[in-house]
Amino acid sequence: MTYDVVIQGGRVIDPESGLDGVRNVGLAGGRIAAVSEADLIGRRRIDARGLVVAPGFIDLHSHGQGIAEGRLQALDGVTTALELEAGVAPVSAAYVRAAAEGRPVNYGYSASWSSLRMHVVGGAPLSGGADGPLDGLGSDAWRAPAAPAQLAAMLRMLERELADGALGIGVLLGYAPATDPAEFVEVARLAAAAGVPVFTHARPLIEQDPGVVVDGAEELTRVAGETSVHMHYCHVNSTSTRHLDRVQALIEAVRAEGANVTSEIYPYGSGMSSIGSDYFHPDRLHVLGATGTPRDVIYARTGETVASVDRLLELRAADPSGLAFITLLDESADRIARMCALPYAAIASDALPFVIEDGHAYDPMQWPPPKFVKTHPRSAGTYGRTLRIAVRETGVLSLPEAIAKCTLQPARIVEQAAPAMRRKGRIQPGCDADVVVFDAERVTDAATYQHSVRPSTGFAHVIVNGESVVSDGRLQEQTLPGRPVRGRR
């Protein structure tokens, strides 16, 4: 057989079968057709000697769903980027738009509880994510208590979203922390009946906010046991901060009792979200911020460190959807590596849309992004950083263990809702030809808080559905082979 592409002589790591050895990989028709010690014939050959050949990385938590943001993630080894924490509504509009525009990597969405709540309770229109997944979080209207008829309407709409291919239900509970706990239980029951996960941004912990309606970690784990839903604890590192050990112990305890709770982390010590959200109110900075003062906050559009409460209030009023950093924890290598090694935790970026500095116009097809384009460095470097710190610098994870956290673990989290994910996260015949080839001794993140759109380096080839998005370390700007990942319909 003559294959479309042969990846020759690389160290092939398949996290499901445990394969870790030199092999040749043949790709044909968008699938992996052969993994062999024998020579293979291909129309195109990639010399992978001295390099690692692994499944393409699967990001469960990517708010940066545009073409430019997807390109930056592809240069970090990502072949599938899903918007599952915030979700979108209606998902049908998001899938149609992405297909019409094209995407460099595979894409998919959960149903957005927050967007539907903004619509039903707050009276906002539904955009299918066109206005950004975090827009509107600063409004008080959507956080108001839901009347019984409003809750019933939201549940019906969530059912329709799942029927339209949503990959689960995304719940930004931490952005509306006064929500009646019974509402979250009903959402979880709906998801459990549909056989899909709930991707949850938890409420604050009792240590962070003694007045919280219910401890965020206790709620997620209790509801998982009560409803039998697959509960996915989004970015458990940034919502737990200094209390991560307690939260992780709780997750492990309920898993031992049979509850299906998974989680994810990103390898950074600062978060980023809409400056108008609950977390950035001056009276709420203590919940996540390292010092609990405005100086924990950097407004991304100008790069300024917020100097006072008055300035923070001014920014929240003027640009409530504007993105801002908040310092959570120090970024020592040991701390980052320990987070990466948490059991049952996938690696996920929480990538964000690009922010354009005031006074500039940006064409999203322009590459590379100019200096006035900003984002969180996790949008560019999560996977290179994980491999650098957790594997090469500290040895907390072996290379196969780290690869599993970037590929097989996230695939398994979604595959009950989307059986097509059973063909991702693996290097096996019949699986999708989503493949990354990288130099394990050189791969690293390059993005910083000052230069946040610098691509990672060391990723030689990134192949999506059999097409090269990155070839010899260079982005192939015209290649948009991403396909939708949809739930069972």
Side-chain angles (χ1 to χ4, degrees):
M1 177 176 178
T2 299
Y3 300 92
D4 297 333
V5 179
V6 170
I7 305 170
Q8 184 176 10
R11 176 186 173 187
V12 176
I13 296 179
D14 175 49
E16 185 169 66
S17 66
L19 172 64
D20 183 355
V22 175
R23 297 290 190 276
N24 301 312
V25 179
L27 311 180
R31 298 284 179 91
I32 297 170
V35 180
S36 175
E37 294 182 78
D39 288 339
L40 302 176
I41 300 171
R43 296 180 182 88
R44 178 187 171 212
R45 300 179 74 84
I46 294 174
D47 184 355
R49 289 174 295 180
L51 303 177
V52 174
V53 180
F57 301 156
I58 299 167
D59 190 352
L60 299 176
H61 192 150
S62 178
H63 303 302
Q65 287 289 314
I67 291 174
E69 291 89 343
R71 287 169 166 173
L72 196 60
Q73 288 209 270
L75 286 160
D76 198 32
V78 174
T79 57
T80 300
L82 307 176
E83 166 57 280
L84 300 181
E85 181 216 30
V88 297
V91 292
S92 57
Y95 279 116
V96 167
R97 183 173 59 254
E101 295 174 354
R103 291 291 184 267
V105 299
N106 302 310
Y107 54 91
Y109 316 97
S110 71
S112 176
W113 167 83
S114 59
S115 294
L116 294 177
R117 209 173 196 282
M118 289 177 195
H119 178 65
V120 173
V121 178
L126 296 176
S127 69
D131 299 327
L134 305 182
D135 279 356
L137 292 181
S139 167
D140 289 329
W142 78 278
R143 295 194 290 257
Q150 290 175 319
L151 176 56
M154 285 189 284
L155 293 173
R156 288 194 299 271
M157 295 175 79
L158 286 169
E159 282 187 307
R160 286 199 296 271
E161 293 291 278
L162 294 174
D164 283 343
L167 298 170
I169 300 175
V171 182
L172 294 177
L173 197 57
Y175 288 89
T179 300
D180 186 345
E183 179 176 331
F184 183 53
V185 172
E186 290 304 308
V187 172
R189 288 194 192 283
L190 172 63
V196 300
V198 175
F199 302 93
T200 309
H201 181 129
R203 299 180 212 252
L205 304 176
I206 195 74
E207 296 95 334
Q208 298 164 334
D209 181 8
V212 70
V213 174
V214 59
D215 177 87
E218 293 280 353
E219 179 179 36
L220 261 63
T221 51
R222 174 182 55 77
V223 171
E226 179 181 335
T227 66
S228 299
V229 75
H230 178 172
M231 184 68 70
H232 185 72
Y233 204 135
C234 292
H235 48 39
V236 66
N237 56 306
S238 62
T239 51
S240 302
T241 59
R242 294 170 294 279
H243 312 287
L244 183 56
D245 288 346
R246 174 177 78 84
V247 174
Q248 182 63 26
L250 189 56
I251 291 172
E252 295 188 29
V254 298
R255 282 185 61 92
E257 295 170 358
N260 188 3
V261 181
T262 54
S263 67
E264 66 186 46
I265 72 98
Y266 59 79
Y268 292 85
S270 292
M272 194 180 204
S273 192
S274 302
I275 199 168
S277 68
D278 183 73
Y279 289 114
F280 285 90
H281 191 282
D283 295 337
R284 302 283 291 165
L285 289 174
H286 66 279
V287 172
L288 296 180
T291 70
T293 69
R295 296 195 67 83
D296 283 335
V297 179
I298 298 175
Y299 179 55
R301 200 179 302 280
T302 62
E304 69 177 286
T305 298
V306 179
S308 66
V309 168
D310 287 345
R311 178 57 175 157
L312 179 56
L313 292 172
E314 180 183 349
L315 291 168
R316 284 169 57 84
D319 187 18
S321 294
L323 294 174
F325 296 102
I326 183 167
T327 302
L328 310 173
L329 298 164
D330 73 79
E331 294 192 344
S332 68
D334 286 345
R335 182 188 291 275
I336 295 298
R338 287 199 304 273
M339 291 192 306
C340 291
L342 287 176
Y344 320 116
I347 305 299
S349 72
D350 197 359
L352 288 159
F354 287 171
V355 178
I356 313 305
E357 286 184 359
D358 288 340
H360 294 278
Y362 173 57
D363 176 359
M365 296 303 289
Q366 179 182 351
W367 193 265
K371 292 181 179 179
F372 57 77
V373 173
K374 298 180 179 180
T375 185
H376 194 294
R378 68 194 183 202
S379 306
T382 287
Y383 296 91
R385 185 177 177 89
T386 297
L387 295 170
R388 172 174 65 84
I389 294 178
V391 178
R392 197 164 63 243
E393 294 182 357
T394 67
V396 168
L397 292 174
S398 69
L399 183 57
E401 287 172 336
I403 288 173
K405 282 178 165 286
C406 301
T407 59
L408 184 64
Q409 284 189 32
R412 285 178 168 168
I413 287 167
V414 184
E415 64 187 24
Q416 182 180 357
M421 292 300 291
R422 295 177 184 140
R423 298 195 305 268
K424 299 187 185 296
R426 291 103 164 153
I427 297 287
Q428 299 171 21
C431 289
D432 292 341
D434 296 343
V435 182
V436 61
V437 181
F438 64 91
D439 186 339
E441 299 303 316
R442 291 182 53 252
V443 68
T444 186
D445 54 314
T448 67
Y449 292 101
Q450 294 73 34
H451 304 284
S452 55
V453 293
R454 284 180 177 167
S456 293
T457 59
F459 290 101
H461 300 274
V462 179
I463 299 170
V464 178
N465 296 309
E467 297 187 47
S468 289
V469 177
V470 177
S471 182
D472 293 321
R474 293 188 297 273
L475 179 74
Q476 305 302 294
E477 296 181 35
Q478 304 307 313
T479 305
L480 300 173
R483 297 175 185 168
V485 177
R486 290 182 177 269
R488 292 177 279 110
R489 295 190 295 169

